[in-house]
Amino acid sequence: MKNILLKQFRHGEKLLYLSILITFSIIAYHHLSIGYRMSPDSYTYSGWADDLIKLNFNLYNYYAQNTFWTPSFFYTIPVAVVALLKVFFGNGWQYGFLALNLSLVLFSLVIFSKSLLIIGVRPIIISITMAILVVSVDLLIWPRYILSDTIFSFLVILITYIMIRGIIMDKTYYISLISIMCIVLFSRPSSLPILFAIFAFILISRFHIYNKPKLLLLLLFVALLVITPLIFSYLNHYMSTNLRDIVQVKWLLDQVNLGMIIHDRPETWISPPSSFIDVAYLYFIRMISFFTPYAEPFSTIHIVLNSLQTFVILLSITIWSFLGGNVKAFDKTVLFILLLSFSVAAYQAFTIIDYDWRYRFPLIMPLIMIFPITMEMLYQKISENI
């Protein structure tokens, strides 16, 4: 039995390369058969890109001219990409953007696999995981949209790889990390929780709590579902008292006063909050709703695939809580992914959970990464008892 498994391990990389190619081919064919899609944000990026071109790519003048209520530097990367594609491809720039997105999907799959290989997950297990990625609703929806989501998702998986590489080498690659953090910051406002997760991981990992999975999960869930809603409720009260004249703050407060949970989905809203605890409860519901795998208008297949993905992630975290604590590389990787996920969930709960949950997309590949890690743990556990 061991000889068979070892032979599979030696030849597993060939199977892994093939599985990556098949997974990408299916995803690419799906998007190419549908074609690119524009959303309201896509037209905004297009208009801003035209402005940037007229200014000869002078970012200083562009920032001064753009009066959008969120600082325009947060959108520099997608706007610059669209502008460059318009220069090189003219009226066919959308096809160039779709090709770029699909290329980033391929690179993301490779980085996903490389990250798992360097921490010791067997190629055969990663190959099996590709079957989960190929039916991920997020990967089957967002790459065809002329939006920043696929670019941002690629940057997040790249950051994950840099962090994992640092875990293996027991060092922090500050130059690489700072460089990619700057790029992420100029990609979109939701980059802020990504940066917070990096700093939080560097700080928390010093205390070696990562080798106590049950305690770590308990602390993270208490922080996310109890402490954070209370902090947000206090911030909401402070903003309504002292900062209401700021446009962005007023918008956030108005959404809370409406009882909004998911943007433009009134069926998810609750009664308008009237007390400190009511506001804290609203943020608590938002935290939970960020990970919700279904909504009333979703098709049956959408709900089934999302539920399957959620089940796999929850199962993986559960297995890690029982088997973790023995391999530092596995435990620290899971810690970073959880910090990343909870940071993004908290940020979106405080600001906005989009109608289509697209701000969840960058977390999908890192979260699914926990599955092959726990499968490797199970394999090692079973091997010890053979």
Side-chain angles (χ1 to χ4, degrees):
M1 175 63 73
K2 288 187 177 180
N3 288 335
I4 294 174
L5 291 174
L6 288 172
K7 186 176 180 180
Q8 285 180 335
F9 183 77
R10 287 197 299 270
H11 297 287
E13 289 196 13
K14 294 180 180 178
L15 176 62
L16 176 57
Y17 299 146
L18 179 61
S19 66
I20 292 173
L21 182 59
I22 292 174
T23 300
F24 170 72
S25 299
I26 293 172
I27 293 172
Y29 174 78
H30 172 74
H31 291 295
L32 290 172
S33 64
I34 296 174
Y36 70 81
R37 290 289 184 269
M38 298 283 285
S39 78
D41 285 350
S42 308
Y43 292 104
T44 300
Y45 291 154
S46 178
W48 288 347
D50 291 337
D51 294 337
L52 186 59
I53 293 171
K54 291 175 184 176
L55 294 170
N56 295 318
F57 289 87
N58 186 317
L59 287 173
Y60 179 81
N61 290 338
Y62 168 74
Y63 293 148
Q65 175 182 302
N66 191 313
T67 57
F68 189 61
W69 62 296
T70 299
S72 57
F73 73 84
F74 278 122
Y75 305 98
T76 303
I77 298 299
V79 172
V81 167
V82 171
L84 288 171
L85 290 173
K86 286 192 171 192
V87 170
F88 286 106
F89 294 97
N91 293 331
W93 69 271
Q94 292 100 328
Y95 294 102
F97 199 100
L98 176 58
L100 172 65
N101 276 355
L102 292 178
S103 299
L104 293 178
V105 169
L106 175 59
F107 292 140
S108 296
L109 292 173
V110 172
I111 293 171
F112 175 92
S113 303
K114 179 66 174 177
S115 300
L116 291 166
L117 285 173
I118 63 176
I119 60 174
V121 177
R122 295 163 197 278
I124 186 69
I125 296 176
I126 305 173
S127 300
I128 294 171
T129 307
M130 289 294 149
I132 299 172
L133 291 174
V134 81
V135 295
S136 170
V137 171
D138 299 87
L139 281 169
L140 294 174
I141 290 179
W142 298 116
R144 64 176 172 271
Y145 278 84
I146 311 300
L147 294 167
S148 62
D149 298 87
T150 303
I151 297 173
F152 194 72
S153 297
F154 167 75
L155 293 174
V156 170
I157 198 68
L158 182 58
I159 284 175
T160 304
Y161 169 75
I162 294 172
M163 298 300 291
I164 290 175
R165 188 163 164 246
I167 290 169
I168 293 299
M169 301 303 295
D170 200 23
K171 62 182 292 188
T172 301
Y173 291 92
Y174 287 106
I175 295 177
S176 299
L177 205 52
I178 292 172
S179 299
I180 194 68
M181 285 168 66
C182 290
I183 296 174
V184 168
L185 185 63
F186 283 82
S187 297
R188 67 186 198 186
S190 53
S191 59
L192 297 177
I194 307 297
L195 305 187
F196 175 82
I198 294 171
F199 290 123
F201 173 78
I202 293 173
L203 177 63
I204 294 174
S205 61
R206 297 178 184 274
F207 296 98
H208 300 282
I209 194 174
Y210 52 80
N211 59 6
K212 300 175 182 177
K214 293 186 179 68
L215 175 61
L216 178 60
L217 283 175
L218 175 62
L219 293 176
L220 287 175
F221 278 111
V222 169
L224 181 72
L225 301 178
V226 179
I227 298 175
T228 302
L230 292 173
I231 292 174
F232 284 175
S233 184
Y234 171 78
L235 289 175
N236 180 272
H237 173 73
Y238 178 83
M239 291 189 304
S240 64
T241 304
N242 301 286
L243 305 173
R244 193 171 184 83
D245 292 336
I246 300 175
V247 175
Q248 296 96 324
V249 171
K250 183 179 183 305
W251 187 86
L252 291 175
L253 294 174
D254 289 343
Q255 310 314 304
V256 170
N257 292 335
L258 288 172
M260 179 184 293
I261 303 298
I262 309 299
H263 189 255
D264 282 345
R265 289 192 183 274
E267 71 276 8
T268 66
W269 299 4
I270 63 175
S271 300
S274 58
S275 66
F276 179 89
I277 295 300
D278 287 346
V279 175
Y281 175 72
L282 179 140
Y283 286 122
F284 169 80
I285 296 298
R286 284 187 179 183
M287 297 283 192
I288 301 296
S289 299
F290 180 77
F291 296 102
T292 300
Y294 64 88
E296 287 183 14
F298 283 3
S299 65
T300 301
I301 186 64
H302 192 160
I303 293 173
V304 169
L305 293 180
N306 258 350
S307 299
L308 174 64
Q309 180 175 270
T310 303
F311 172 76
V312 167
I313 293 170
L314 290 176
L315 176 64
S316 302
I317 293 173
T318 302
I319 293 173
W320 174 72
S321 71
F322 286 98
L323 299 183
N326 299 312
V327 181
K328 183 175 76 171
F330 291 166
D331 296 330
K332 294 186 77 171
T333 298
V334 174
L335 169 62
F336 176 70
I337 293 170
L338 292 177
L339 286 173
L340 190 70
S341 304
F342 287 2
S343 297
V344 173
Y347 177 84
Q348 298 303 154
F350 188 68
T351 55
I352 179 175
I353 301 178
D354 190 70
Y355 175 86
D356 291 313
W357 282 272
R358 68 185 178 95
Y359 295 132
R360 190 171 57 189
F361 175 36
L363 298 177
I364 297 304
M365 292 187 76
L367 279 170
I368 290 178
M369 201 178 276
I370 301 175
F371 173 75
I373 290 174
T374 55
M375 291 303 101
E376 179 66 30
M377 288 179 176
L378 275 175
Y379 170 80
Q380 293 180 8
K381 185 71 174 178
I382 293 171
S383 297
E384 292 174 359
N385 297 325
I386 293 178

